[in-house]
Amino acid sequence: MVIGAFAMGADEFIVAGVVREISEDLNVTYGQVGALESVYALGVAIGAPVFTAIGTRFGRRSMLLLTTAVFLLGNTLSALGPSYEMIMAGRVVSATAHGAFLGIAAVFAAELVDAKRKGRAVAIVFSGLTASTVLGAPLGAAVGQAFGWRFTFWTLVVFGGIALIGLLTSLPRTTKHEVLSSGGQHHSYEEVDAHAHESAGGNGRVEHVDIPAAAEDHDHAVPAPGSEFEGLDAHALAHLGGGGHGPTLREQLTALTRPAVWGALLTTLLGYGGVFTSFVYLAPQYTEVTGFDAAWITPLLLLFGVGLFVGNALGGKLADKAIMPTVLGTLAALAVVLFAMTFAIQNPISAVIMTFVFGVTAFSVVAPLQLRVMNAAGHAPDVASAANISAFTLGSAIGITLGGAAIDGGLGLASVNWIGGLITTTGLIIAVVTWALLDRRTSAASHVLGHAHDHEAGSAGVAHDHGDTAAHHGPVPTGHEAHHHH
C-alpha cells in the first residue's frame, strides 16, 4: 500500500519534469503537454466519487486490487501510446484510480491493526504520498533525461506492478472489521464503536475507533483523537476520497446547500489554482528563461519538493492557531511569490532561492483551506472533504490550461507566474468576501445546531467549535488533533 501510494502520488507530479522532452518528441506545444497534467487532475476529481460508489458494493481488498490494476493500465497506455491522444487517454484512465486507492488503503490499513495503532498504520501508508510529493517531479526529470520520457511512465508501471503483486500476496481476505461482521455484512460504525466499548471492559473509556467524521457528533474540523486519520496532514486527507464509503444523498445535499461551503470551495479552487499554473512549466522555464543546463532540473525540482514538505508542516501549525487569518495570510504570501517568480526566474541565484520559497508557500495553503471547508460543512465533513478534492484538482486543471494558453499565445514562459498570481489573488479576494458575508453567520448557526445535536445524541461535554478563528469562537483544535506535516 505504501508503494502504491507513492506511485499514485508521483503520477500527479511526474510530467512536470519532462515537459520539454514530450513536446519535442511528439511535436506538440507546451500547452498541450500541460494538458496531460490538467486532464489528470480532472480524472482524479471524476474518479474518486465513481470508485467510491462502486466500492460500496465490493470489499476493500477487491477495490484496492481494481484501482491498482486501473492505474497500471493507464500508465501502460501512456508509455506505449503512439500518439498524443493515446497518451492523453492513458492519463485519464490512471487518474480515475488515484483518490479512491488512497482513501480505501487508509481505511484498510486501519482495519489491519488494533485501535491503538490505527493512526500509525495510516501514517505509514501515507508516507508513500509524502515521498512522492518531494520525489515525484525530480524522479520524472531524472529518468526522462537518462532514458527518455516514455521511461518516466514505465517507472510508474514498475512501481504499480510491485504494489499489485504485493497486495495480491499480502492483503488478508478478512480484516478485523469484517470479523466483527455478521451475515457477510459490515456493521455500522456505531456498532463497531459499541463493540470497542464492550472490549474495554465496560468502563466507559475507550480509544476512538474508525468512525468517519460524518458519523461523529463532535468537532469535525479535524480527525478525532485516536482515530485512524489522526496526525495526517491536510494534503493527505485531501486525497482520501471518502475511504470507500460514499456519503448519503441527504448528507450531500445538506452540505452542498450551505453558501459558506460554496464560498470555501471556490476559495480553494482559485486560491490553489495558481500553484500548478506555474509549477507544471517550471522545467522549461529553468532551461529557456533562467539559462540552466537540463542537468539542473532534477535538483531544482527536488528543492521545490522540500519546500512543499516544509510549507505543508508550516501551514498545518498556523491553521491550528487561527484558521481564517492563516487562509488569508498564506494565500497572500502565495500570490506575492507567484508575481515575484516572474522576475526571479530571470536570474539563476534568485531562481534557486525562489524555487524553495515557492514550494513553501504552495503547500502552506493546503491545511488551512482544507480545515476551512470542513468547518463550513457542519456535520458533513466527509462530503466537504470529497468536494474539496475536486476543488483542488479542478483549480489545478484551470490553472494549467490558462498557463499553457498563455505560453502558446506568445506571452512567454515566465507569464505563467503572474497569471498564477492573478488566479490566487482572485481566490484571496473571494476568501475575504465570503469570510465577511458567509462564514461568520454560518459558524454561529453551526455552533448552536452543534450543541443541540450533541444534546440529542447524549454526547454531553464534547466541544463544538465551528468558528473561523480563535479570536472569534474560541480555540481551534491544536497539537495532534489537527492536520500536521507528513
Side-chain angles (χ1 to χ4, degrees):
M1 285 190 280
V2 174
I3 295 170
F6 174 83
M8 299 205 188
D11 209 355
E12 187 177 6
F13 296 93
I14 209 156
V15 169
V18 287
V19 170
R20 188 177 67 170
E21 289 79 1
I22 295 175
S23 173
E24 292 175 353
D25 191 42
L26 297 179
N27 195 27
V28 295
T29 66
Y30 285 156
Q32 287 175 296
V33 178
L36 295 176
E37 284 281 19
S38 59
V39 298
Y40 187 88
L42 290 172
V44 172
I46 295 168
V50 170
F51 271 104
T52 297
I54 295 173
T56 60
R57 298 178 178 272
F58 299 95
R60 292 199 181 99
R61 183 180 187 274
S62 298
M63 288 306 299
L64 282 177
L65 297 176
L66 175 61
T67 51
T68 306
V70 169
F71 173 83
L72 271 174
L73 173 63
N75 279 292
T76 301
L77 284 174
S78 294
L80 293 173
S83 66
Y84 172 79
E85 291 74 20
M86 183 63 75
I87 295 165
M88 177 74 78
R91 294 292 288 164
V92 173
V93 170
S94 61
T96 57
H98 179 115
F101 175 90
L102 292 168
I104 296 165
V107 178
F108 200 105
E111 291 177 358
L112 292 175
V113 298
D114 57 51
K116 292 183 179 179
R117 294 189 294 168
K118 286 179 181 291
R120 278 172 284 176
V122 178
I124 289 171
V125 171
F126 274 94
S127 67
L129 187 66
T130 303
S132 72
T133 300
V134 178
L135 300 175
L139 176 65
V143 172
Q145 289 166 22
F147 306 106
W149 65 267
R150 289 187 184 275
F151 280 89
T152 297
F153 291 109
W154 282 122
T155 302
L156 294 173
V157 171
V158 169
F159 279 112
I162 293 171
L164 183 59
I165 293 170
L167 292 172
L168 277 168
T169 56
S170 64
L171 280 184
R173 294 187 178 275
T174 305
T175 65
K176 291 188 177 186
H177 184 293
E178 291 165 330
V179 168
L180 297 179
S181 302
S182 60
Q185 299 295 319
H186 289 301
H187 279 307
S188 69
Y189 290 97
E190 290 79 5
E191 290 173 311
V192 176
D193 196 30
H195 175 88
H197 275 279
E198 291 171 9
S199 65
N203 61 7
R205 297 186 59 81
V206 60
E207 290 295 321
H208 221 317
V209 294
D210 60 338
I211 304 175
E216 296 290 349
D217 291 327
H218 57 276
D219 193 336
H220 50 70
V222 295
S227 79
E228 66 268 38
F229 303 131
E230 179 193 356
L232 288 183
D233 62 85
H235 180 239
L237 286 164
H239 286 76
L240 283 172
H245 290 274
T248 65
L249 179 60
R250 181 181 177 183
E251 287 172 331
Q252 293 181 49
L253 293 176
T254 300
L256 294 180
T257 54
R258 297 185 179 211
V261 171
W262 282 100
L265 291 173
L266 190 57
T267 299
T268 296
L269 185 144
L270 292 170
Y272 187 75
V275 172
F276 272 72
T277 310
S278 173
F279 166 70
V280 167
Y281 305 105
L282 273 181
Q285 286 186 79
Y286 289 143
T287 55
E288 298 180 33
V289 179
T290 316
F292 280 117
D293 184 86
W296 279 91
I297 293 176
T298 297
L300 284 168
L301 290 177
L302 183 61
L303 179 64
F304 178 82
V306 172
L308 294 179
F309 185 84
V310 173
N312 198 44
L314 178 63
K317 289 181 179 178
L318 291 175
D320 285 350
K321 298 177 181 177
I323 296 176
M324 275 313 296
T326 303
V327 168
L328 301 179
T330 54
L331 285 178
L334 175 59
V336 169
V337 168
L338 282 166
F339 284 123
M341 281 291 288
T342 309
F343 308 101
I345 203 72
Q346 312 285 339
N347 176 273
I349 295 175
S350 59
V352 170
I353 295 171
M354 290 304 291
T355 291
F356 175 74
V357 175
F358 179 26
V360 173
T361 55
F363 261 25
S364 68
V365 302
V366 174
L369 287 175
Q370 183 78 2
L371 288 174
R372 185 201 178 195
V373 169
M374 294 173 74
N375 269 350
H379 286 276
D382 285 350
V383 180
S385 220
N388 217 34
I389 298 173
S390 297
F392 277 115
T393 55
L394 290 176
S396 298
I398 292 170
I400 293 166
T401 302
L402 291 177
I407 295 171
D408 293 350
L411 291 180
L413 272 167
S415 67
V416 297
N417 298 302
W418 61 260
I419 291 171
L422 287 175
I423 295 171
T424 295
T425 299
T426 305
L428 174 61
I429 293 170
I430 290 172
V432 173
V433 172
T434 55
W435 180 37
L437 298 181
L438 301 175
D439 285 37
R440 296 182 182 188
R441 182 179 64 192
T442 302
S443 64
S446 295
H447 190 76
V448 173
L449 288 173
H451 279 292
H453 191 84
D454 254 1
H455 182 71
E456 238 176 63
S459 305
V462 181
H464 282 266
D465 182 9
H466 309 299
D468 302 293
T469 68
H472 279 82
H473 296 289
V476 174
T478 58
H480 67 280
E481 295 178 31
H483 306 294
H484 283 321
H485 53 76
H486 287 286

